[in-house]
Amino acid sequence: MEQRMFGKPLINPVDLQRRIRKLGHQISQDYVGKDLVLVGLLKGAFAFYADLARAISIPLAVDFLVVTSGGSSTEGKKRVKMISDLTVDIAGRDVLLVEDIVDSGLTVKSLMNRLQARKPASLKICAMLDKPSRRKVDVKLDYVGFMIPNKYVIGFGLDYKNNYRNLPYLAVLDQLQNE
Ligand code: IMP
Ligand code: MG
């Protein structure tokens, strides 16, 4: 069955997987001998997370945070709310936060502060996408899949009003889908 194309293609599945394999390889080297806990931010990071985890060749623990940042609108104020917390104690462990996209940086900043308070041995960020042009707070991204321009992106976990998360590629939301 043919899948309808949504949006303007930005990054295809082949390039995505190639980049994820590279990130996985780098993370595997950087975390040798560490006690890695891979923390995925749901819902957006689910697709990237699943592929990244399988591209990492060293032992790791999987865990997730469910967060919302004030609705799924393209604009607007953010109040990062934790809907569901981690299931493990991260004290003394090496935590790598896996996020779909860093835009203003507010989501990641707020979560980093909260996780840091639990005294992990280390706390780093891996983001599939970095949209640096809209940054409001300073955050250091340790691993980035792709830098992208200031466009609204859907697919591979990313939504517009909770749609399009299952697209196997990244696309720029075009006018047609804009209401
Ligand atoms: P930040 O707090 O502004 O960095 O926003 C990060 C969150 O906003 C991401 O985890 C996404 O859920 C959402 N977001 C930001 N930009 C996009 C986009 O282009 N497409 C879909 N969701 C986005
Ligand atoms: Mg997100």
Side-chain angles (χ1 to χ4, degrees):
M1 213 195 292
E2 221 177 289
Q3 191 172 21
R4 236 197 92 190
M5 284 292 288
F6 290 98
K8 201 164 139 280
L10 181 69
I11 299 167
N12 68 48
V14 172
D15 290 343
L16 263 166
Q17 293 307 324
R18 189 181 297 131
R19 184 72 190 115
I20 292 171
R21 272 200 304 276
K22 271 204 163 168
L23 285 173
H25 187 69
Q26 198 187 329
I27 291 165
S28 304
Q29 290 186 330
D30 294 351
Y31 283 85
V32 167
K34 309 249 176 180
D35 185 9
L36 177 58
V37 184
L38 203 60
V39 172
L41 292 192
L42 299 179
K43 294 181 275 209
F46 82 91
F48 176 56
Y49 183 101
D51 287 341
L52 182 68
R54 287 176 291 178
I56 297 174
S57 56
I58 56 168
L60 58 81
V62 304
D63 216 341
F64 301 94
L65 286 170
V66 184
V67 297
T68 59
S69 38
S72 44
S73 67
T74 50
E75 295 292 329
K77 281 247 171 180
K78 295 227 179 173
R79 163 90 191 86
V80 184
K81 206 168 138 198
M82 207 184 278
I83 306 289
S84 170
D85 204 341
L86 297 175
T87 64
V88 297
D89 184 3
I90 56 167
R93 308 185 71 181
D94 297 286
V95 176
L96 182 58
L97 199 60
V98 179
E99 172 63 311
D100 50 3
I101 182 168
V102 178
D103 187 16
S104 70
L106 291 170
T107 304
V108 151
K109 184 90 179 176
S110 153
L111 289 170
M112 289 295 273
N113 289 341
R114 277 183 257 183
L115 295 181
Q116 197 68 65
R118 301 180 192 180
K119 308 264 187 281
S122 68
L123 180 56
K124 291 190 174 180
I125 305 174
C126 177
M128 174 171 68
L129 302 175
D130 181 10
K131 212 195 267 183
S133 52
R134 303 218 319 159
R135 202 73 93 245
K136 285 187 186 143
V137 287
D138 195 31
V139 282
K140 176 171 173 271
L141 303 182
D142 302 280
Y143 305 93
V144 171
F146 301 90
M147 290 255 251
I148 60 160
N150 186 15
K151 296 270 174 19
Y152 198 83
V153 176
I154 54 170
F156 217 77
L158 291 161
D159 75 309
Y160 176 66
K161 298 196 170 172
N162 253 322
N163 281 317
Y164 313 116
R165 290 193 197 272
N166 61 322
L167 298 181
Y169 51 86
L170 286 160
V172 172
L173 189 73
D174 56 31
Q175 289 300 319
L176 284 174
Q177 277 91 48
N178 236 326
E179 237 74 38

